[in-house]
Amino acid sequence: MTERCEQARILVVDDSAPTLEVLQRNLSAEGHQVFTALDVASAVALLEDSPVDLVITDLKMPRVGGMDLVRHVRENFRDTEVMMITGYPSIEGAVQAIKTGAEEYLAKPFTDGELSAAVQRALDKLRIRKSNVTSGAQPPMMRHGLLGESEAMRKVLQAVSKAASASAVVLISGESGTGKELVARAIHYGSARASAPFVPVNCGGIPDSLLESELFGHVKGAFTGATESRAGFFHTADGGTIFLDEVSETSASMQVKLLRVLQDKEVFMVGSSRSRKVDVRILAATNKDLLALVKKGIFRKDLFYRLNVITIALPPLRDRDDDILLLANHFARRFAEELGRSQPRFSEQAMTVLKNYDWPGNVRELENVIQRLVLMTDGDIIHVPDLPPLMRFSALRSTGLNRSLTEVEAEHIRNVLASVGGNKTRAAEILGIDRKTLREKLRHPLAGREHSPES
Ligand SMILES: Nc1ncnc2c1ncn2[C@@H]1O[C@H](COP(=O)(O)OP(=O)(O)OP(=O)(O)O)[C@@H](O)[C@H]1O
Ligand SMILES: [Mg+2]
C-alpha cells in the first residue's frame, strides 16, 4: 500500500502466457490488482463480472483481435481505459488503435519504466475523465442504450447480460416507463439472434379478435375479409425474438394459445389445422403483478410458470436515486444536441428537487420533463422555478423542505408527548429541556395542534 502509486484494477489480455506473466508481475509489484485473460472471449466474460479501470491488450491474437476488444470496451464501459500493446509496431496500427479508442499505445519490446509510465498516463486520463462526470464516483454503465449506475440497475444490467447469452423465456416486470421495452431490446440485440428481427407486440393494445391472426397469421378464407393468406408476428420473428408486451392483458383463450406455442414451439395459422414449427425466442413484459393475477384466477398459472423462467424486475425510478441525475443529464445532452444548442446544467436546488420527486411515470416521465425543459428554458442553467409546478410542490412535501424549524420542533414535541402518554415530566426529560420550557413551547399554536396521523 504505497501512497505515491495509484492503485487500479487492470486486465491484461495476451495470447502469450509468458508475456502475461511478466506484465502481471510488474503491475502487481506496483500495487495494482491484476487480472489476466489469454483471449478476447475470456476477457469479455471477465469484464461482465467485474469492470476494471484499465485494459491492456495485445493487438494480434488468434480468432478475435485486440482491436475488437478495444471497440467492445469503448462501447460498453465508459470508465475503462484501454492500452494497446503490439509486437508489430506500425504507424497505421497506432493510428487505428487510437481511433478505435485505445488511450495508449505501446510497442514491444518495452522497458518496465515505459510500461509503468504508460499505465500511469492512462490512469491519469481516467481520473480526469471521472472527475468531469457530474454525479457519483461509481462508473456509469450503458448497454444498448440502457443507462444506470445505481446498485439496482447494475443488477438489472447483469441480468440482461445473462439473459442475452441464454435462450430461455424472460419475464420483465416493472411499473410503467421503467424501461421494460428497452431491456427487451437489449436482450435481443445482445443475443445470438441479434441479426434476426425483434418484433414487439402490444397485447393490451390489439383487440382479442385481431390479436390471434396478428400473432399467428391466417389462411385465405379464414374469416370474412381474409382474401389472402397472411403471415403473423411469429413468422416474421422466425430466428429472432418476439416481445409480448402487457402480456397480462391477454384473454383466457389467448393465454391457452400462447401456452401451446411455448410448449410445442409451433403455431397454427387462423383457419388452418396444420401447425408450423417456429424458432422464436419469447420475451414478455408486464406492469402488473402477474402472480397476484394468478391468485385471483385472471391469469393462467401454467402460463405464468412457462413465462417466468428468467425474471427481470425493473425498480421504479424513485428507488434509484443514483440514476436520476445521470439520466437527467443524459437526456439533457441528447435533446440539446437535437436542437443544436449547448447542454443546460441543473442548479444544486433543482437537482435536489429532481432527486426527491416521486416520478410516478418513471424514466419516461423524466425524459419528457427534460425534453420540455430543454425546449423551454433559455439559460444555461435550469433553476427550480423552471421545473413543472407539480414536481416542485410534491418534492417539497415529501422532503419537508418547506417546513420551518418551529414546525419541525413542534412536531417532534407532539410525537414525544404521544409516546409517553402525555406525561410532561417524561417528555421534558427525553427532550432535554425543563418542564417550564416545555410548557412554553406547548403554548405555541403549532405545538398545540392535534397529533395528525401522517406526521
Ligand atoms: N435505463 C435507461 N436508460 C436510458 N433510457 C431509458 C432507461 N430506461 C428507460 N429509458 C427510456 O425511457 C422511456 C420508457 O422506456 P420503456 O418504453 O422501455 O418503458 P416501459 O417499461 O416499456 O414502459 P410502459 O410500461 O409504459 O410500456 C424510453 O424512451 C426509454 O428509452
Ligand atoms: Mg413498454
Side-chain angles (χ1 to χ4, degrees):
M1 290 266 176
T2 44
E3 258 294 272
R4 86 198 140 75
C5 166
E6 191 180 355
Q7 299 200 338
R9 295 161 58 82
I10 302 179
L11 170 63
V12 190
V13 191
D14 199 311
D15 59 320
S16 136
T19 311
L20 273 187
E21 216 182 286
V22 172
L23 284 167
Q24 177 163 39
R25 201 176 332 114
N26 273 323
L27 295 168
S28 302
E30 302 220 318
H32 300 298
Q33 194 181 350
V34 185
F35 306 85
T36 58
L38 279 162
D39 54 40
V40 171
S42 27
V44 168
L46 238 152
L47 285 169
E48 288 297 326
D49 283 338
S50 48
V52 299
D53 302 306
L54 174 64
V55 173
I56 302 180
T57 179
D58 193 14
L59 173 63
K60 296 231 170 164
M61 286 181 283
R63 289 186 301 279
V64 190
M67 213 65 89
D68 286 307
L69 179 60
V70 173
R71 212 168 289 124
H72 174 81
V73 171
R74 278 284 64 86
E75 280 167 10
N76 292 291
F77 301 92
R78 239 203 264 180
D79 285 350
T80 301
E81 296 299 309
V82 194
M83 186 165 122
M84 186 79 97
I85 290 182
T86 175
Y88 309 82
S90 70
I91 294 293
E92 300 91 273
V95 169
Q96 210 188 337
I98 302 286
K99 266 198 188 150
T100 333
E103 290 294 334
E104 290 290 334
Y105 184 87
L106 205 56
K108 280 188 226 172
F110 47 82
T111 65
D112 293 354
E114 280 166 345
L115 170 69
S116 166
V119 166
Q120 209 46 59
R121 274 198 304 275
L123 293 177
D124 283 346
K125 282 187 194 157
L126 178 67
R127 195 167 22 87
I128 291 164
R129 201 141 54 89
K130 273 187 177 174
S131 66
N132 286 339
V133 176
T134 38
S135 72
Q138 296 278 61
M141 302 220 233
M142 189 144 191
R143 303 259 162 89
H144 304 283
L146 262 177
L147 189 64
E149 61 180 7
S150 62
E151 202 43 47
M153 263 323 265
R154 279 167 186 275
K155 293 217 176 90
V156 167
L157 289 167
Q158 268 168 13
V160 166
S161 301
K162 288 225 173 75
S165 56
S167 59
V169 180
V170 184
L171 180 63
I172 307 159
S173 66
E175 288 178 14
S176 176
T178 44
K180 296 185 292 296
E181 179 154 355
L182 206 54
V183 162
R185 285 177 192 277
I187 294 173
H188 170 73
Y189 290 106
S191 79
R193 294 172 177 267
S195 55
F198 172 83
V199 182
V201 186
N202 184 352
C203 302
I206 304 173
D208 206 55
S209 52
L210 259 177
L211 185 58
E212 185 181 358
S213 78
E214 290 284 318
L215 282 175
F216 308 128
H218 60 75
V219 295
K220 189 175 168 180
F223 44 82
T224 343
T227 51
E228 297 286 330
S229 281
R230 233 189 74 192
F233 290 142
F234 270 97
H235 305 104
T236 315
D238 211 4
T241 307
I242 202 163
F243 174 50
L244 302 174
D245 204 357
E246 297 192 44
V247 72
S248 65
E249 302 305 304
T250 48
S251 70
S253 71
M254 183 48 77
Q255 289 174 26
V256 177
K257 286 169 187 143
L258 286 176
L259 184 65
R260 202 162 58 198
V261 180
L262 280 160
Q263 278 167 347
D264 308 333
K265 305 246 177 278
E266 49 187 35
V267 297
F268 287 87
M269 288 173 99
V270 177
S272 164
S273 55
R274 284 226 331 266
S275 67
R276 197 182 124 179
K277 281 268 173 218
V278 284
D279 167 31
V280 174
R281 182 181 194 186
I282 298 179
L283 307 178
T286 176
N287 55 17
K288 300 218 173 102
D289 180 354
L290 264 197
L291 192 57
L293 296 184
V294 169
K295 283 179 186 149
K296 282 193 199 146
I298 297 168
F299 200 82
R300 286 186 72 102
K301 195 180 191 172
D302 43 11
L303 180 57
F304 171 74
Y305 285 116
R306 284 276 174 179
L307 291 175
N308 197 34
V309 180
I310 301 177
T311 323
I312 298 182
L314 281 165
L317 186 59
R318 63 184 156 279
D319 291 349
R320 320 180 213 159
D321 271 7
D322 294 346
D323 291 344
I324 295 174
L325 294 182
L326 183 75
L327 284 166
N329 281 312
H330 165 73
F331 292 134
R333 187 179 327 115
R334 211 182 74 199
F335 292 122
E337 256 167 32
E338 277 174 21
L339 293 172
R341 51 169 290 187
S342 64
Q343 180 190 344
R345 307 262 155 212
F346 300 94
S347 73
E348 283 293 326
Q349 286 97 328
M351 287 199 251
T352 308
V353 173
L354 288 178
K355 279 220 264 193
N356 286 313
Y357 179 59
D358 225 28
W359 298 111
N362 294 295
V363 186
R364 178 174 297 110
E365 185 183 8
L366 176 66
E367 190 175 7
N368 291 339
V369 164
I370 303 295
Q371 181 173 27
R372 224 172 320 128
L373 284 173
V374 174
L375 261 172
M376 310 296 283
T377 351
D378 295 324
D380 281 339
I381 298 180
I382 292 170
H383 297 281
V384 175
D386 298 322
L387 302 175
L390 169 79
M391 213 168 113
R392 272 147 43 202
F393 298 139
S394 82
L396 288 178
R397 250 201 323 277
S398 66
T399 55
L401 283 179
N402 56 344
R403 298 194 304 167
S404 69
L405 268 183
T406 321
E407 281 176 278
V408 174
E409 185 185 80
E411 181 182 318
H412 185 55
I413 292 175
R414 284 200 308 273
N415 288 340
V416 170
L417 257 178
S419 76
V420 294
N423 183 330
K424 294 202 180 85
T425 315
R426 281 285 295 129
E429 251 171 52
I430 293 172
L431 293 165
I433 52 179
D434 53 37
R435 281 195 46 140
K436 183 164 158 278
T437 316
L438 177 61
R439 263 203 314 277
E440 270 161 21
K441 286 193 182 290
L442 282 173
R443 248 180 252 131
H444 191 280
L446 281 172
R449 224 163 55 184
E450 259 323 289
H451 179 82
S452 50
E454 75 268 30
S455 62

